Amino acid sequence: MNRLIKVVALAGVVAALPEVALAESSLTISGFFKVGLEDIRIGSPNPARVGNTSETRVTDNNSRIVFGIVEDVGNGLQAIAQLDSRFSPDNGAGPTAAGNTWVGLRSPAWGSLTFGRWDLHYGLQPDDIATKAGSDKARSVSLFDFVQNGATTQAIAGGTRTPNVIRWDTPNWSGFRMTTAYSTNAAGAEADLASTVRKGSAWNLNPSYGMSDWQVGYSYWNSKPDGSLADQRGDTVYGYYKWSGLKIGVGWNNSKLKSPAGIDAAKRDAWTIPLSYSFGSHNLYAHYTWANDDKIQGANTGANMFALSYVYDVSKRTSVGLTYARIRNDSAASYQFYQDNGGTQSSLNATPLFGEDPQLFSTVLKHAF
């Protein structure tokens, strides 16, 4: 009888263990579906272009599902992790862990330390055009975080998440924050052992200061990929001010590239001025962005971009938006809409040739959960 009582008691303790674990840790699931119907047109076609100059397509706009994990481990310290899985409802691709995916520790005293994959440096300009149901292709990133490099454009900081990252984020010290990140190879998988050139690395420093209605910040990027001398250097200054439903911002970027042979390949400045205004369920977003001529590649290598989006909030989680955007390239420039060059949101032959002017009309539906 005593043995039976002990067995029943032990079973009760074991059964209670998952409840204790759940009380100390939490899992949150969030994300959104965001898909658009868009029309892409190529204005001022280059004589070398062959085939159609327009197409209509259904396109994913970075849909995702995010799993966030937090466990209290004592004395204010928390274990944290995130899986940011991207998928494409338009063609069924995914899911993958292509988003911000990491694991680490967090403390109210010293901030958070994480290891994994993070958005670094690019996309810091205060451009809200894609925040709700505006098209991702219309983001000022298209010019601001790309550099004309020969016949194509090249992304600064990859134009996406940086892999192999060790990242420290400070607490909010009366409005001041600081991100310090180091990547053992920003270009992809480690290749130091197979390289006869050098060991690669990348640094990002991003201090910012602000309150509820304004912010200013600076970002420094320095990348030396494993086994290659194709270095990158980027400096970005950004800021915004909000007054009631109106938000106005400004951003400046200077980016430099070296060729794989270690020779200066590109150096240019870019500016952006984003605006947004929200009233009730209505939201207006716009930006004007321009990239100046490249100081290494010479004249007629600049471009400008204008984008305008209207978004209506159907509910707190669902919105629908209309977006128009166009890029005007100089005769020796071929800037394009964000992720339209082999990215997950692109299609064949979407990349413009020298001097061509891409144009976008888009209707996007977004549902967040």
Side-chain angles (χ1 to χ4, degrees), residues 35-155:
V35 183
L37 173 64
E38 61 188 31
D39 181 79
I40 294 282
R41 298 178 181 272
I42 299 294
S44 306
N46 187 298
R49 175 169 290 276
V50 177
N52 295 324
T53 57
S54 68
E55 71 176 17
T56 301
R57 59 199 189 193
V58 174
T59 309
D60 172 55
N61 278 242
N62 271 322
S63 300
R64 68 196 64 177
I65 180 169
V66 180
F67 300 88
I69 301 169
V70 178
E71 181 187 12
D72 292 318
V73 296
N75 298 319
L77 187 64
Q78 294 179 320
I80 54 176
Q82 177 174 288
L83 170 61
D84 183 347
S85 182
R86 303 298 170 93
F87 61 94
S88 301
D90 57 322
N91 57 24
T96 67
N100 291 286
T101 300
W102 40 262
V103 63
L105 296 171
R106 181 171 62 199
S107 163
W110 50 260
S112 63
L113 178 67
T114 55
F115 301 84
R117 176 180 168 92
W118 274 102
D119 285 307
L120 297 177
H121 185 69
Y122 89 105
L124 289 175
Q125 60 275 23
D127 167 13
D128 295 329
I129 199 164
T131 301
K132 292 187 176 181
S135 172
D136 269 25
K137 288 189 177 61
R139 293 173 61 187
S140 57
V141 171
S142 306
L143 269 61
F144 198 83
D145 292 311
F146 285 78
V147 174
Q148 189 68 43
N149 187 19
T152 61
T153 57
Q154 182 172 336

Side-chain angles (χ1 to χ4, degrees), residues 126-128 240-249 274-277:
D127 167 13
D128 295 329
Y240 68 82
Y241 180 77
K242 293 192 293 186
W243 182 75
S244 188
L246 177 66
K247 177 181 177 181
I248 181 170
L275 295 168
S276 65
Y277 183 64

Side-chain angles (χ1 to χ4, degrees), residues 304-327:
N304 65 71
M305 178 180 183
F306 171 74
L308 176 66
S309 181
Y310 166 73
V311 174
Y312 179 74
D313 297 326
V314 180
S315 68
K316 290 183 178 181
R317 295 180 177 270
T318 303
S319 57
V320 60
L322 300 173
T323 300
Y324 167 77
R326 61 110 179 108
I327 295 174

Side-chain angles (χ1 to χ4, degrees), residues 200-215:
S201 63
W203 280 98
N204 178 226
L205 302 176
N206 179 204
S208 64
Y209 182 71
M211 297 297 173
S212 60
D213 56 353
W214 64 273
Q215 185 187 52

